[in-house]
Each structure stands twice: as structure tokens, then as C-alpha cells.
Amino acid sequence: MAAGDRVRIVKLRPNGSEATSYDGVELPGPFPEDWRGFRAEWTVGTVNSGGLVFELGDYVHEYFSPTAWFNAFALFAPGGQIKGWYANVTWPATFENGPEIESVVWHDLFVDLIGFPDWQYLILDEDELQASGMVEEEPDLVTLILLARDTMIARFTGRDFPFHEG
């Protein structure tokens, strides 16, 4: 793919069912490691997630990796001002070639980081991870999820890619 090429972004819930899908366009790189970036328009309406407010007209730079256990979305107001970041612990993203369009598929694994322009952050949904039964049923996966959470926090507080914008 090249910068400006259209892509379909597909989010899967922790149980593997599709939560949502939408179109984006590839951002120009290069990006560090094996990350890829995409721009998508926010079209869902107003959503307040942990104090980070997504609104019609906002846009998101979304960063995915086929090896990292998290992704990160930088949220911008229509005028280009950074509003914050939303990052998700996930299985590593897959990039699938389709007949007409490439798809980026990511599989959510509960734990999220909400970051603000003043570099404060919140960790969300650890209670959902605990309630899922994974701690007992898949302790090795839970260990990977918690390591990914710690990596997100370290990269965010260090302002390291993919938390570099702003």
C-alpha cells in the first residue's frame, strides 16, 4: 500500500465477533519498527470515553503493528489540535489483502489506556478482564495482556511512538 490508499479497519471484540468496521486511508511513513498508520474520520457521534470526547468532525490517526500487543489512536479536533489518545491491548494486528481493498483487523483484549494532552492517563477495563474468566482459564494470555498494558504506559509516559503526536 501507499500513502492515501483506502483500507478497511475491522475491530473484533474479545470473543472474536466483529464490533465495528470502517474505512481509513494509509498515512505516509516511514514509521518505526513494523508499525503502519491510518487516518479515519469520526462518524459515530459524541462519545465520552474516560473523559476523552470523540465528536463528529474529529479525525483519528490509528497505529497498528503485526507484532505489538497494542494499538494507539491519536484523536484530533477538526482544526488539528490533539485531543488525546486511546490505546487498546490487542492481539497483534493482521493485514489482509482483499480483492478490492486491504483490511486491518485487530482483536481487542479488554484493557485500554486513555491519554490526555497534559500526559495524564487512565487505564480502563481491567475489571472486565478480571470478570472474563481469562485469569483462571488463560493465565499466560493474561500475562501478555498485562505486559502490553505496561508497554503502553511506558511508551505513553515516554512520549514514544505511537504516542508521538501532540
Side-chain angles (χ1 to χ4, degrees), residues 18-144:
E18 185 174 311
T20 190
S21 65
Y22 51 92
D23 288 341
V25 295
E26 183 114 17
L27 291 169
F31 300 111
E33 303 160 31
D34 56 5
W35 289 87
R36 291 176 63 188
F38 304 91
R39 177 185 166 126
E41 304 298 320
W42 186 257
T43 61
V44 179
T46 301
V47 174
N48 184 334
S49 188
L52 183 61
V53 180
F54 294 73
E55 300 172 284
L56 288 176
D58 290 346
Y59 63 94
V60 184
H61 288 174
E62 304 186 10
Y63 298 99
F64 301 95
S65 164
T67 58
W69 282 73
F70 69 96
N71 60 33
F73 303 160
L75 176 64
F76 296 90
Q81 179 181 357
I82 188 87
K83 294 175 78 173
W85 294 264
Y86 196 107
N88 306 273
V89 174
T90 71
W91 289 96
T94 59
F95 301 94
E96 302 173 359
N97 289 321
E100 296 180 23
I101 188 172
E102 183 177 16
S103 294
V104 178
V105 180
W106 64 280
H107 189 153
D108 190 35
L109 288 172
F110 297 108
V111 179
D112 303 320
L113 177 146
I114 304 289
F116 301 97
D118 66 359
W119 300 100
Q120 298 295 309
Y121 68 91
L122 302 171
I123 298 296
L124 302 178
D125 301 334
E126 288 181 315
D127 57 333
E128 291 180 16
L129 175 62
Q130 292 296 322
S132 73
M134 291 176 101
V135 173
E136 296 81 21
E137 297 168 14
E138 299 182 76
D140 292 341
L141 178 56
V142 171
T143 297
L144 291 170

